Amino acid sequence: MIIKKPSIFIYTYHPDTAILKEICAGMEEEGVFYEINEQNENNLNELAWHAANDSMLGSGIGLSGQDAALQMKGIEKGHNIESYHEPTKEQCRKLGANSARAIKKLAFK
């Protein structure tokens, strides 16, 4: 039997690997599990919205190329909590950490 851990979902479409690595590092710093899933959709808002709604934790990240967005379940599609085009290393870590902090009900960085 496979038991899935509650995780933040990261839905990607041809992601920039450096950006993905830093987003994941931000989540790891907060001690929250994540799952990365490659999708056929390239629309950032769609990726983020579906990731948030598919995650049992209600927090998801969309990553399309060099665009990244954080979305929460229950928030209208396209109204991302945070989104970046070509984010810096610090912005990537912050995005990952904030996705974890949202589910832990902690203040964002």
Side-chain angles (χ1 to χ4, degrees), residues 21-107:
K21 179 181 173 185
E22 293 303 324
I23 289 172
C24 294
M27 284 186 244
E28 289 171 357
E29 289 171 358
E30 295 292 330
V32 176
F33 294 110
Y34 60 87
E35 288 184 35
I36 302 167
N37 296 295
E38 179 72 24
Q39 303 291 308
N40 292 323
E41 174 67 53
N42 69 350
N43 181 289
L44 181 65
N45 293 325
E46 290 285 333
L47 289 168
W49 189 82
H50 285 293
N53 284 284
D54 291 349
S55 168
M56 69 174 58
L57 297 176
S59 180
I61 292 177
L63 181 56
S64 180
Q66 293 185 325
D67 296 324
L70 165 61
Q71 178 65 279
M72 298 298 297
K73 188 177 203 171
I75 295 179
E76 194 174 324
K77 190 185 304 181
H79 292 174
N80 300 314
I81 305 297
E82 288 182 72
S83 62
Y84 298 100
H85 174 70
E86 297 180 2
T88 65
K89 180 178 177 177
E90 293 76 26
Q91 288 171 324
C92 293
R93 287 233 178 181
K94 184 177 82 163
L95 185 74
N98 285 344
S99 67
R101 287 175 156 261
I103 61 167
K104 294 178 2 180
K105 304 204 183 326
L106 296 174

